[in-house]
Amino acid sequence: MDKNQLIQIFNKEDIGEVFFNEPMKNHTSFKIGGPADVMIVPHNENQIVKAVKLCRENNIDHYIMGNGSNLLVRDGGMRSAVIKINEGFKDIEINGDRIICQSGALLTAVSRRAAEKSLTGMEFANGIPGTIGGAVTMNAGAYGGEMKDVITKVRILDRNNNIKEYTNEEMNFRYRGSRVVDEGLIVLGVEIQLKVGDFEKIREKMKDLTHQRTSKQPLELPSGGSTFKRPTGYYAGKLIMDSGLRGLRYGGAQVSEKHCGFVVNVDNATCKDVLSLISVIQKTVRDNYDVDLEPEIKIIGEDN
């Protein structure tokens, strides 16, 4: 579908901000990716529903993204509508020991708001760069905590444009997966149940986790977070390090010297650079340890 057709379709409805031929590298923490044919940034639930409905009615593929913190977009970009649920949809409401937030709210913001109210249970999320919607989708976790531990309800838009609420038990949470992935759902909002705790202890725990992240992870360089899922019985970063791949570089992409579980963008890397390096890592680890490393980052888009 050409640009004029897209303009006709997406400029006739109140669906938020609309951009055409938008570089995806400006919307991902990897700083990589070709242009999306159209990007929509809705500011309320109604606009999200309208945008998705427009795509479905016009047979336009659509992709839902949040903060772009675990995305690797191919160099040819996206021949689809990208609906970015982030800055415009980030309200956080605290009622006692419960938090209700929109899916565009940043995990770090929710964690810090909880801490301000002396609520414990979200400390693990401080420093994770994604949105609540993305965290629910992938059941994000770190340092012994996961989203499934604190979520009570999830508000979603299903494939038939119906808004529903699912309980924690109905969400099929598992390691880096959920019902959202299984059924192509769109997260609109989340209810979180925490416990009242000691403010100083909460603050100290968050401070300690922040120190662990900043001292061990290459946060100063663009990346998509942990590149690989943790293989059963192993740690991906250790397997990569023990294979002698620390600092290995392909084009502008490099195995982080600080933490081998991260592939980082050190010099205007292309998606092709990253994928080539990932392929070398996977083959080397497989040859050395008979372990298959599965990417944790989401790889989307078209080749050039």
Side-chain angles (χ1 to χ4, degrees):
M1 197 173 287
D2 65 31
K3 183 177 177 180
N4 289 331
Q5 289 175 297
L6 292 172
I7 290 172
Q8 278 191 329
I9 292 168
F10 290 110
N11 278 352
K12 69 180 181 182
E13 294 274 1
D14 175 22
I15 56 174
E17 299 171 82
V18 182
F19 306 92
F20 299 96
N21 206 36
E22 180 67 13
M24 288 296 291
K25 68 180 182 180
N26 296 339
H27 299 273
T28 67
S29 59
F30 236 136
K31 305 300 181 191
I32 291 172
D37 284 354
V38 58
M39 175 173 281
I40 303 158
V41 185
H43 297 293
N44 57 56
E45 188 173 283
N46 192 45
Q47 289 179 342
I48 295 171
V49 174
K50 277 186 180 179
V52 173
K53 191 176 179 188
L54 269 181
C55 291
R56 288 171 173 164
E57 287 175 348
N58 291 278
N59 294 315
I60 296 171
D61 289 337
H62 56 282
Y63 183 81
I64 306 296
M65 71 172 289
N67 201 37
S69 58
N70 72 329
L71 289 184
L72 177 60
V73 182
R74 290 188 175 92
D75 301 315
M78 306 279 288
R79 304 290 74 77
S80 61
V82 176
I83 302 174
K84 185 177 182 181
I85 302 176
N86 189 2
E87 279 297 309
F89 195 64
K90 62 176 183 179
D91 287 353
I92 302 168
E93 180 184 332
I94 300 179
N95 296 317
D97 55 5
R98 293 191 177 194
I99 300 178
I100 298 170
C101 51
Q102 294 177 325
S103 57
L106 290 175
L107 269 177
T108 293
V110 177
S111 177
R112 290 176 183 173
R113 285 285 300 277
E116 288 169 7
K117 298 291 184 180
S118 299
L119 296 177
T120 183
M122 280 291 287
E123 293 92 333
F124 74 90
N126 186 43
I128 297 178
T131 60
I132 283 287
V136 170
T137 301
M138 299 308 295
N139 185 29
Y143 300 108
E146 290 181 303
M147 292 305 296
K148 71 176 179 60
D149 302 331
V150 295
I151 286 173
T152 51
K153 293 179 188 173
V154 179
R155 184 175 173 86
I156 62 91
L157 180 69
D158 71 12
R159 285 181 169 173
N160 296 313
N161 286 352
N162 297 313
I163 294 175
K164 298 179 180 178
E165 275 195 351
Y166 290 128
T167 64
N168 183 303
E169 293 74 20
E170 292 172 322
M171 283 298 296
N172 191 23
F173 285 123
R174 56 194 182 275
Y175 178 69
R176 302 302 174 260
S178 71
R179 186 172 185 167
V180 178
V181 177
D182 302 337
E183 300 179 17
L185 307 176
I186 297 167
V187 180
L188 298 174
V190 179
E191 181 185 88
I192 293 168
Q193 176 73 61
L194 301 176
K195 293 179 181 178
V196 176
D198 181 272
F199 175 76
E200 288 301 327
K201 287 181 180 178
I202 293 168
R203 189 174 69 169
E204 278 304 307
K205 185 173 182 180
M206 289 173 69
K207 187 177 175 182
D208 177 56
L209 294 182
T210 298
H211 173 71
Q212 289 189 55
R213 278 196 174 92
T214 54
S215 63
K216 296 177 182 177
Q217 297 179 8
L219 304 181
E220 69 281 359
L221 291 169
S223 78
S226 295
T227 305
F228 301 100
K229 294 180 181 179
R230 181 185 296 175
T232 304
Y234 298 92
Y235 290 95
K238 188 171 190 317
L239 291 173
I240 295 166
M241 180 179 69
D242 291 347
S243 294
L245 300 179
R246 183 191 295 276
L248 181 68
R249 185 164 168 172
Y250 189 101
Q254 184 181 46
V255 175
S256 168
E257 295 184 350
K258 195 172 185 180
H259 189 312
C260 292
F262 289 69
V263 169
V264 291
N265 179 357
V266 292
D267 186 16
N268 296 311
T270 63
C271 180
K272 186 178 178 182
D273 292 342
V274 175
L275 292 179
S276 297
L277 184 54
I278 285 175
S279 182
V280 171
I281 294 167
Q282 288 173 318
K283 182 180 185 309
T284 305
V285 169
R286 190 183 302 115
D287 289 347
N288 287 345
Y289 299 101
D290 196 28
V291 174
D292 289 316
L293 292 182
E294 182 184 349
E296 183 166 323
I297 54 174
K298 217 169 204 178
I299 303 161
I300 59 174
E302 308 287 328
D303 292 322
N304 266 336

